[in-house]
Amino acid sequence: RLGYEKVDIVVFAGEGGTFDIGLQSLSGMAERGHDVLYILYDNEAYMNTGIQRSGGTPPFAWTTTSPAGKVLPGKTQGKKPIADIMVAHKIPYVATATPAHWADLIRKVRKGIEVEGPAFMHTFSPCNRGWRFNTDTAIELCRRAVDTCYFPLWEWIHGKGYILTDRSLAIARNPKLKKPIEKFVELQGRFRHILKPENRHLLKQLQEYVDAVWEDLLGRAINAPK
């Protein structure tokens, strides 16, 4: 109406409340078309309540409810593709980002705010307590997550499709830049067990999982080399 001042609404939520217990309300927001930028900071477990596994926890990660030992090798299920789930809602804008790739992050936040309708950003957020790493390596972990293609950088624009961005676009153009998943897990205590000689088959399985997700993304991205 006349005199109405537009207010930018930005939501910040953790991965437990997004992948699992809050997915219903998130889906409803998208379906109703609310003009909201929803920013997920994904630390891959319920960190504030005791480091329990969630739908965002990756395969073979140790948590207090998916302990690594003789019975289980950590979490036995894959990571829920939350960003792809939001793409399936056909909202105007979906993107992934990390604080290590800050220019890419800023650009995507601006797009998410300016778009008319719902926007969703999946941001990578290491947790030193739950992942068991030194705090001064958090940004390096973000870089390695992208360089190993464990967490690719992309955006999805309604009417256009998937678009690789920043470092992930560079890796797609030059596959020699892609690092083995071991470079990502070696800094984290939650994956220590899969680096043991008797568990190297688990590391191989994790590599295959990451490669499959990356190849699927390359097949969909409109700017990936064909």
Side-chain angles (χ1 to χ4, degrees), residues 10-14 18 37-41 109 123:
V10 180
V11 173
F12 290 90
T18 302
L37 170 58
Y38 188 108
I39 299 177
L40 155 67
Y41 59 94
V109 169
T123 59

Side-chain angles (χ1 to χ4, degrees), residues 61 81 84 105 119:
D84 289 326
L105 170 62

Side-chain angles (χ1 to χ4, degrees), residues 14-205:
E15 128 286 334
T18 302
F19 282 83
D20 300 327
I21 58 179
L23 183 59
Q24 179 184 22
S25 57
L26 173 60
S27 179
M29 179 205 80
E31 185 272 328
R32 290 187 295 271
H34 293 306
D35 191 10
V36 174
L37 170 58
Y38 188 108
I39 299 177
L40 155 67
Y41 59 94
D42 181 10
N43 47 35
E44 300 191 323
Y46 289 96
M47 297 305 180
N48 288 339
T49 57
I51 319 176
Q52 298 93 343
R53 58 87 77 199
S54 76
T57 305
F60 310 126
W62 170 94
T63 73
T64 56
T65 52
S66 62
K70 294 182 179 179
V71 177
L72 292 174
K75 187 188 175 189
T76 56
Q77 298 83 16
K79 184 180 175 80
K80 188 183 295 184
I82 189 66
D84 289 326
I85 290 172
M86 296 312 298
V87 167
H89 284 73
K90 304 302 182 185
I91 62 177
Y93 187 72
V94 179
T96 66
T98 89
H101 306 80
W102 56 270
D104 182 68
L105 170 62
I106 291 171
R107 183 179 61 82
K108 288 172 176 174
V109 169
R110 176 50 58 190
K111 279 190 175 182
I113 289 175
E114 292 179 349
V115 74
E116 292 295 329
F120 180 86
M121 285 190 60
H122 182 183
T123 59
F124 197 65
S125 181
C127 174
N128 68 297
R129 181 69 181 87
W131 296 13
R132 305 297 200 257
F133 67 88
N134 295 327
T135 55
D136 60 357
T137 60
I139 296 300
E140 177 61 21
L141 261 177
C142 290
R143 293 193 186 99
R144 294 192 185 195
V146 173
D147 286 349
T148 58
C149 296
Y150 173 82
F151 190 84
L153 299 174
W154 53 267
E155 59 186 359
W156 183 87
I157 302 174
H158 187 57
K160 293 185 178 180
Y162 287 86
I163 302 169
L164 297 172
T165 65
D166 201 271
R167 181 69 172 175
S168 291
L169 177 57
I171 293 172
R173 290 173 172 171
N174 183 5
K176 292 181 180 180
L177 297 175
K178 184 175 182 289
K179 305 297 183 184
I181 193 61
E182 185 171 356
K183 302 302 291 183
F184 174 65
V185 303
E186 67 183 5
L187 298 180
Q188 305 169 62
R190 63 175 179 158
F191 287 116
R192 184 178 295 118
H193 56 288
I194 71 173
L195 297 177
K196 295 179 179 179
E198 65 271 24
N199 288 330
R200 299 294 287 190
H201 65 287
L202 299 177
L203 182 65
K204 182 175 182 291
Q205 289 178 39

